[in-house]
């Protein structure tokens, strides 16, 4: 007997299907299989943060006024009463003090932006180190890099809007960076700002860019990004039964879908907690923008920090020839460097395919240790980035640790070139040792805990061949397959120490039950 | 339970997106080591299932509590700035919103992990590249269409079509240039609000007199012109130090009055205001990128990414004892730009 609910659902389904033929799509997509791994959830964090940004951002647009028109503040925040300021700043104060729930929306919006960028960076690292960017997924990698850059632009545009002292300082820096472009710099800066700084146009222009143009592009790119994941099917880690030609995991409906929706709510919840309890960007403490004022410890949002760092580390090179000025001290760290970094990032999949000659399809992920050069390159890039990020906070480091800011800067300048090279070699060696550890497992098996005393008086510990569930995980190269096959006969008749499902990311978790004391006594 | 799922899957069996549940005994990929995920539901005994259900329901109810807490706080908690306990308004909203969201989220996850059937399933991947005949067919259609369009047969049409398309792009150019006001870039960039005889006004608009500053004192000053206080390029800093510590260059001897010097505060690196003055060392420090200038020696660069001295304002004292500028800064203020001429100001004078 079909219940009323089933009838209603069936009726609606038929109505829609008669018009759209949707049943086929529903059947296929609800049955879609997704491999499960914690690291696949990093991109989801970025997605959910973005949804939160759209929700909170839409609410904020109801109150924010993107205008540099001067007004006298007449809101309820008494310390600034009667002070002249732009409508943008005044309306941000109103959101913070005169709109019920406005402050939490503002703070959630800001936290969601920080989380969005952080999730993008970590997701990018996951995709890089596991080789998920390889054929056929290069396009999605390039789109991801594009989303990263757009996120930077969007974030910068967003925190520039309130027109407080901090954001105005950031805008002035952006204007000055535009000035440094050879030949057309002054033109570019004047066009964007509407004239010599402050130009009187920039808030009005950034506002539609921030709430319509860039988020629209991001939304479109995210849709295609996820559509491709769906269409090309997700990558998976090697595991028994998983091949390049299948996907092993959970069906989308219902368990996977429920877990994803639940995770979505959890990410929202964390943003709500941060937005409620962790104060961020208290613009009323900074005061309205005044071109002649600045506060010590001026810091951009974290994702701009690496560019601030590169700018701080750069020596003061400037060239004059004939009647013209060329400023590598600004141009190199603020425009050339990010251009090269993001350019290299975007073409990496093609470079790697070219250099390794690997043109094949890859649906099984690499373990980072199995690709020592790639992993080492990644470590190198991360080190470079972290040095720049530290340099972006050199004044904070100096004041916390009571160090000389000049010495920190000199040290980081050297570190920017030396540390990535060190990281490369250390990581590569670490990968090779981990590989040897795997070889050792395949070759000698795992410790059994059984200690034997030889007639000579020497103590030795017996090893047990690696159970096949583990061994298949390690047979990532032809040589290893051979090694495993060579040792297969040892499995025969040997006691199987562990027969549970293999778990663990970096190496199989669990091991032979150890009871050394007991073994020694017997 | 498991059987009904098998049936459901069987029904989709002829589909291209074939799915097969994995379990011991069946080896769909021919691997003897295939393991299976737990089918959680099947493992739960009725009592355990009941307790899992209660835990999930508790979390969902917690979510409802969060929603009502949020609504109550939103309406009833003191909100206006300065009211008693108003500072807890936003944190309380955050806590209740978190309860509402995380209760629902955690409940859903627990539900999926304990009570839902979640069998490990194998699905074949379809080959992404098209079949050769499709590729050839696509190329043939495109070629045929190109031929049908006649672009190849009519050279004048082709060229004029390309020309018209290229020209269309030019529409953007005037619109782009319309974004900025037409200004004499060199002039607006190189000049500020300072004029010969402009008094130095402090932040409250009072003129600064000789003797207002103690030795070691500094003051932000602005030109005595309409709107001078808000001019982004005109802010200056007047500093008084003992005359003997000033290393005044010969050419700048006349710019100094009794140990008083004045410099532009706009950093020559990226335009931040350089206003952190260190009395002992006479250093001016930019908080943005740490460029450091020597106020005792023509504000020359001591450290950091700035390449040029801060421009100096030549000082004098008028009949009434107030400081005045002898003219504009000695150089264009602020960051470098392509057309920058160091002595533009001289030419204008």
């Amino acid at each position: 007997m079909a219940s009323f609910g089933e009838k209603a659902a069936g009726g609606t389904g038929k109505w829609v299907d008669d018009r759209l033929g949707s049943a086929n799509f529903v059947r296929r997509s609800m049955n879609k299989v997704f491999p499960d791994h914690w690291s696949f959830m990093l991109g989801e964090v970025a997605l959910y943060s973005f949804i939160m940004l759209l929700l909170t951002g839409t609410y904020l647009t109801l109150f924010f006024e993107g205008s540099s028109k001067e007004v006298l503040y007449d809101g309820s925040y008494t310390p600034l009463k009667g002070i002249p300021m732009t409508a943008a700043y005044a309306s941000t104060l109103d959101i913070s003090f005169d709109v019920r729930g406005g402050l939490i929306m503002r703070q959630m919006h800001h936290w969601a932006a920080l989380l969005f960028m952080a999730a993008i960076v970590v997701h990018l690292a996951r995709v890089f180190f596991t080789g998920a960017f390889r054929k056929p997924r290069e396009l999605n990698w390039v789109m991801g890099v594009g989303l990263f850059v757009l996120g930077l632009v969007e974030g910068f545009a967003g925190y520039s809007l309130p027109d407080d002292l901090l954001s105005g300082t950031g805008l002035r820096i952006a204007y000055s960076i535009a000035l440094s472009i050879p030949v057309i710099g002054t033109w570019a800066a004047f066009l964007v700002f509407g004239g010599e700084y402050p130009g009187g146009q920039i808030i009005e222009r950034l506002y539609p860019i921030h709430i319509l143009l860039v988020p629209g592009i991001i939304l479109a790119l995210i849709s295609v990004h996820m559509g491709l994941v769906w269409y090309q099917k997700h990558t998976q880690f090697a595991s028994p039964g998983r091949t390049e030609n299948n996907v092993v995991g959970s069906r989308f409906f219902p368990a996977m879908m429920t877990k994803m929706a639940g995770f979505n709510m959890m990410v929202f919840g964390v943003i709500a907690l941060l937005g409620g309890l962790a104060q961020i960007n208290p613009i009323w403490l900074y005061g309205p923008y005044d071109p002649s004022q600045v506060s010590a410890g001026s810091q951009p949002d974290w994702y701009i920090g690496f560019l601030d760092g590169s700018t701080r580390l750069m020596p003061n090179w400037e060239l004059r020839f004939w009647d013209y000025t060329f400023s590598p001290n600004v141009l190199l760290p603020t425009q050339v460097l990010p251009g090269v970094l993001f350019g290299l990032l975007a073409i990496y999949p093609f470079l790697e395919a070219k250099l390794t000659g690997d043109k094949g399809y890859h649906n099984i992920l690499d373990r980072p240790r199995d690709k020592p050069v790639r992993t080492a390159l990644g470590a190198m890039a991360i080190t470079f980035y972290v040095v720049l990020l530290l340099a972006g906070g050199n004044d904070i480091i100096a004041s916390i640790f009571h160090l000389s800011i000049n010495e920190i800067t000199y040290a980081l300048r050297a570190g920017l070139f030396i540390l990535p090279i060190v990281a490369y070699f250390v990581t590569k060696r670490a990968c090779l040792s981990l590989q040897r550890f795997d070889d050792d497992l395949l070759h000698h098996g795992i410790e059994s805990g059984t200690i034997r005393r030889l007639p000579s008086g020497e103590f030795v510990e017996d090893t047990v061949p690696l159970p096949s569930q583990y061994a298949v995980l390690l047979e990532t190269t032809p040589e290893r397959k051979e090694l495993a096959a060579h040792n297969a006969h040892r499995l025969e008749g040997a006691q199987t120490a562990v027969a549970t499902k293999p778990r663990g990311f970096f190496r199989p978790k669990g091991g032979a039950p150890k009871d050394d004391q007991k073994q020694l006594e017997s | 339970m498991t059987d009904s799922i098998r049936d459901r899957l069987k029904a989709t069996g002829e589909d291209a997106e074939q799915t097969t549940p994995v379990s011991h005994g069946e080896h769909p990929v021919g691997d003897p080591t295939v393991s299976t995920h737990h089918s959680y539901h099947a493992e739960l005994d009725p009592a355990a299932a009941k307790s899992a259900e209660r835990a999930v329901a508790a979390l969902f109810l917690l979510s409802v509590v969060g929603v009502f807490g949020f609504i109550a706080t939103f309406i009833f908690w003191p909100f206006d700035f300065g009211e008693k306990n108003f500072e807890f308004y936003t944190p309380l909203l955050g806590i209740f919103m978190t309860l509402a969201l995380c209760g629902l989220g955690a409940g859903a996850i627990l539900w999926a992990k304990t009570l839902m059937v979640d069998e490990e399933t194998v699905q074949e991947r379809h080959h992404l590249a098209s079949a050769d005949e499709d590729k050839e067919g696509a190329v043939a259609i495109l070629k045929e269409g190109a031929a049908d369009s006649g672009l190849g047969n009519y050279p004048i049409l082709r060229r004029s079509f390309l020309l018209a398309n290229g020209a269309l792009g030019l529409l953007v150019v005037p619109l782009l240039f319309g974004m900025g006001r037409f200004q004499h870039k060199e002039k607006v960039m190189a000049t500020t609000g300072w004029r010969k005889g402009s008094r130095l006004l402090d932040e409250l608009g009072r003129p600064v007199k000789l003797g207002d500053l103690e030795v070691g004192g500094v003051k932000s000053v602005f030109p005595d012109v309409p709107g001078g206080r808000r001019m982004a390029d005109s802010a200056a800093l007047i500093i008084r130090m003992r005359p003997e510590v000033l290393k005044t260059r010969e050419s700048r001897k006349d710019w100094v009055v009794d140990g008083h010097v004045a410099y532009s505060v706009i950093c020559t690196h990226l335009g931040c205001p350089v206003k952190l003055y260190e009395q002992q060392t006479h250093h001016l420090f930019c908080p943005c990128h740490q460029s450091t200038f020597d106020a005792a020696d023509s504000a020359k660069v001591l450290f950091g990414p700035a390449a040029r001295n801060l421009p100096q304002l030549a000082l004098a004292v008028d009949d009434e004892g107030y400081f005045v500028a002898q003219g504009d800064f000695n150089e264009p203020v602020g960051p470098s730009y392509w057309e920058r001429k160091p002595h533009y100001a001289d030419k204008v004078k």
Side-chain angles (χ1 to χ4, degrees):
Chain A
M1 273 299 270
S3 70
F4 172 75
E6 274 177 32
K7 269 190 209 155
T12 315
K14 185 178 181 313
W15 193 93
V16 175
D17 189 65
D18 283 348
R19 283 148 188 87
L20 301 174
S22 49
N24 185 33
F25 172 77
V26 169
R27 190 178 74 168
R28 277 187 298 130
S29 47
M30 291 296 119
N31 245 340
K32 190 112 185 158
V33 168
F34 281 87
D36 215 353
H37 193 269
W38 64 265
S39 67
F40 301 163
M41 293 158 82
L42 299 167
E44 280 181 60
V45 176
L47 173 69
Y48 304 144
S49 307
F50 183 71
I51 297 172
M52 182 51 96
L53 283 167
L54 291 182
L55 294 173
T56 51
T58 306
Y59 190 75
L60 294 176
T61 59
L62 304 179
F63 306 98
F64 181 73
E65 192 179 335
S67 157
S68 48
K69 187 180 75 203
E70 194 164 280
V71 297
L72 289 181
Y73 180 64
D74 189 26
S76 53
Y77 183 62
T78 35
L80 289 176
K81 238 187 173 103
I83 304 258
M85 55 182 63
T86 58
Y89 185 69
S91 61
T92 313
L93 286 176
D94 288 345
I95 290 172
S96 308
F97 292 105
D98 291 289
V99 174
R100 271 182 192 269
L103 181 58
I104 193 172
M105 285 291 136
R106 238 198 81 214
Q107 298 197 140
M108 282 170 69
H109 193 68
H110 205 129
W111 275 117
L114 300 191
L115 190 61
F116 177 60
M117 293 308 293
I120 285 180
V121 171
V122 185
H123 171 61
L124 179 126
R126 191 285 288 178
V127 171
F128 179 86
F129 285 113
T130 59
F133 54 80
R134 291 171 299 171
K135 188 179 174 183
R137 297 182 179 78
E138 305 97 321
L139 288 175
N140 239 9
W141 168 268
V142 174
M143 253 181 269
V145 175
L147 282 166
F148 187 3
V149 176
L150 284 168
L152 286 178
V153 173
E154 177 69 351
F156 180 79
Y159 81 67
S160 295
L161 282 177
D163 204 31
D164 57 296
L165 191 54
L166 190 62
S167 75
T169 305
L171 278 177
R172 178 149 209 172
I173 293 172
Y175 167 83
S176 307
I177 287 170
L179 281 186
S180 75
I181 303 170
V183 188
I184 59 155
T186 321
W187 276 108
F190 274 42
L191 292 188
V192 173
F193 282 73
E196 190 195 20
Y197 187 83
Q201 292 284 322
I202 190 67
I203 302 286
E204 284 80 350
R205 288 177 182 175
L206 277 181
Y207 190 39
I209 288 172
H210 177 72
I211 67 166
L212 181 69
L213 185 65
V214 181
I217 301 172
I218 291 179
L219 187 61
L221 272 182
I222 287 183
S223 309
V224 181
H225 195 72
M226 291 175 47
L228 275 185
V229 170
W230 191 274
Y231 177 68
Q232 295 182 328
K233 294 202 172 82
H234 209 287
T235 50
Q236 58 191 352
F237 280 101
S239 165
R242 292 178 178 178
T243 71
E244 291 285 2
N245 300 316
N246 68 8
V247 196
V248 180
S250 301
R251 276 172 299 116
F252 184 64
F253 185 76
M256 178 61 81
M257 193 166 92
T258 313
K259 276 194 249 178
M260 283 169 90
F263 185 50
N264 184 351
M265 289 296 126
M266 296 300 280
V267 172
F268 278 12
V270 169
I271 294 170
L273 198 65
L274 286 167
L277 300 188
Q279 185 183 68
I280 189 159
N281 204 22
I283 50 118
W284 55 92
L285 299 180
Y286 304 153
Y289 179 57
D290 177 340
S292 70
Q293 298 294 338
V294 72
S295 57
S298 290
Q299 295 285 330
D301 274 359
W302 79 266
Y303 45 84
I304 306 282
F306 79 105
L307 292 176
D308 206 32
S310 64
T311 313
R312 291 174 185 208
L313 289 190
M314 184 72 198
N316 64 342
W317 300 338
E318 182 171 293
L319 305 172
R320 278 197 57 77
F321 43 91
W322 300 294
D323 251 352
Y324 300 103
T325 306
F326 176 56
S327 311
N329 60 335
V330 178
L331 193 72
L332 287 184
T334 59
Q335 291 168 69
V336 176
L337 178 94
V340 170
L341 286 187
F342 287 114
L344 279 178
L345 199 60
I347 63 168
Y348 183 81
F350 309 102
L351 275 183
E352 191 189 284
K354 182 99 189 152
L355 293 176
T356 58
D358 181 353
K359 300 269 154 66
Y361 282 99
H362 295 282
N363 294 316
I364 297 278
L365 293 170
D366 287 326
R367 292 195 317 161
R369 72 181 66 171
D370 291 331
K371 292 284 187 283
V373 174
R374 180 203 294 149
T375 306
L377 284 174
M380 195 175 175
I382 288 177
T383 311
F384 188 79
Y385 181 84
V386 168
V387 172
L388 290 181
L389 204 55
L390 286 176
N394 61 356
D395 49 340
I396 309 286
I397 297 172
S399 70
I400 290 178
F401 297 103
H402 304 290
L403 294 168
S404 147
I405 197 157
N406 306 23
E407 280 158 21
I408 294 174
T409 306
Y410 292 132
L412 289 174
R413 268 184 198 168
L416 189 64
F417 294 97
I418 297 167
L419 292 178
I421 297 171
V422 173
Y424 179 87
F425 286 105
V426 168
T427 310
K428 196 171 165 193
R429 285 316 313 171
C431 288
L432 293 173
S433 320
L434 285 166
Q435 281 187 16
R436 286 194 189 149
F437 170 78
D438 290 349
D439 284 346
D440 201 49
L441 281 179
L442 277 177
H443 197 74
H444 297 295
I446 48 181
E447 294 166 353
S448 66
T450 308
I451 309 286
R452 278 192 298 125
R453 191 176 179 183
L454 301 182
S456 59
E458 189 189 350
F459 284 102
V460 292
E461 184 180 4
D462 286 347
T463 56
V464 177
L466 199 63
S468 55
Q469 297 99 308
Y470 291 140
V472 288
L473 295 184
L474 302 181
E475 292 167 16
T476 45
T477 58
E479 300 83 54
R480 287 185 167 189
K481 284 213 170 73
E482 209 170 288
L483 189 67
H486 182 70
N487 286 301
H489 69 276
R490 296 179 63 202
L491 268 172
E492 315 263 333
Q495 84 180 89
T496 304
V498 190
T500 51
K501 188 168 85 75
R503 290 161 61 232
F505 179 59
F506 293 107
R507 62 199 182 91
K509 276 189 202 154
K514 280 187 186 161
D515 202 347
D516 297 352
Q517 198 60 40
K518 201 172 154 195
Q519 297 287 357
L520 275 173
E521 278 166 10
S522 60
Chain B
M1 194 67 200
T2 317
D3 282 338
S4 74
I5 289 187
R6 296 273 158 70
D7 294 342
R8 219 159 77 204
L9 287 170
K10 236 176 253 162
T12 69
E14 58 275 28
D15 201 283
E17 310 246 356
Q18 197 168 18
T19 52
T20 326
V22 184
S23 72
H24 274 306
E26 305 169 21
H27 307 302
V29 285
D31 191 318
T33 56
V34 163
S35 72
T36 174
H37 255 314
H38 306 288
S39 181
Y40 297 103
H41 184 75
E43 283 175 14
L44 288 179
D45 59 65
K50 202 72 205 163
S51 98
E53 186 189 3
R54 275 196 290 268
V56 172
L59 284 166
F60 286 161
L61 289 179
L62 191 67
S63 168
V64 177
V65 170
V67 170
F68 284 105
F70 183 89
I71 294 173
T73 309
F74 193 91
I75 299 173
F76 298 115
W77 198 269
F79 163 75
D80 288 324
F81 182 75
E83 232 179 320
K84 195 168 180 287
N85 289 333
F86 89 100
E87 66 270 30
F88 298 114
Y89 186 81
T90 299
L92 277 175
L93 286 184
I95 288 168
F96 284 122
M97 201 193 284
T98 306
L99 277 186
L101 293 163
C102 288
L104 188 58
I109 293 169
L110 191 65
W111 173 20
K113 287 200 160 204
T114 54
L115 295 166
M116 276 189 194
V117 177
D118 185 12
E119 250 180 323
E120 191 154 271
T121 308
V122 177
Q123 194 167 53
E124 295 305 310
R125 290 176 189 272
H126 52 88
H127 193 55
L128 287 166
S130 310
D132 283 343
E133 66 251 43
D134 287 335
K135 287 184 202 163
E136 284 154 19
V139 171
I141 283 175
L142 290 177
K143 274 188 177 157
E144 198 182 310
D148 289 351
S149 75
L151 265 189
N153 303 335
Y154 306 105
I156 300 174
L157 174 122
R158 188 172 65 237
R159 283 172 205 152
S160 59
F161 181 61
L162 287 177
L163 178 72
N165 277 295
L168 204 60
L170 291 177
L171 283 182
V172 178
V173 176
L175 291 171
L176 199 64
F177 278 78
M179 281 169 64
R181 269 170 287 156
F182 286 94
Q183 287 173 311
H184 188 314
K185 290 201 311 303
E186 275 186 46
K187 188 172 169 197
V188 299
M189 289 295 290
T191 56
T192 71
W194 293 98
R195 302 280 171 274
K196 188 177 165 59
S198 298
R199 280 186 176 168
L200 279 61
L201 304 184
D202 69 8
E203 288 183 339
L204 298 171
R206 298 170 306 203
V208 181
K209 213 172 185 173
L210 185 62
D212 280 359
L213 285 173
E214 303 290 326
V215 168
V218 289
K219 226 180 207 354
S220 291
V221 288
F222 304 89
D224 184 11
V225 292
R229 173 69 184 80
R230 305 288 293 170
M231 281 179 181
D233 57 1
S234 303
L237 203 62
I238 181 167
I239 307 170
R240 180 174 183 187
M241 48 191 101
R242 279 180 290 120
E244 60 269 27
V245 303
L246 264 176
K247 292 173 223 152
T248 312
R249 293 172 191 179
E250 199 52 44
S251 59
R252 301 188 174 193
K253 272 261 168 341
D254 297 342
W255 300 0
V256 182
V257 177
D258 188 24
H260 292 77
V261 281
Y263 301 107
S264 162
V265 300
I266 309 304
C267 188
T268 54
H269 178 225
L270 288 174
C272 291
V274 184
K275 289 179 89 170
L276 303 180
Y277 178 61
E278 231 274 321
Q279 227 183 68
Q280 301 299 319
T281 54
H282 316 294
H283 289 177
L284 278 165
F285 183 77
C286 178
C288 288
H289 305 99
Q290 287 87 45
S291 293
T292 313
F293 304 87
D294 187 357
D297 187 5
S298 314
K300 71 171 186 199
V301 180
L302 294 173
F303 180 74
R308 289 178 289 100
N309 296 13
L310 292 173
Q312 191 168 349
L313 191 69
L315 291 178
V317 174
D318 66 10
D319 303 342
E320 296 169 61
Y322 291 107
F323 283 110
V324 291
Q326 294 184 25
D328 211 333
F329 290 102
N330 67 315
E331 281 187 61
V333 302
S336 299
Y337 50 94
W338 182 252
E339 310 89 332
R340 185 177 177 281
K341 315 259 187 303
H343 301 295
Y344 188 85
D346 299 345
K347 274 190 252 165
V348 178
K349 278 174 207 159

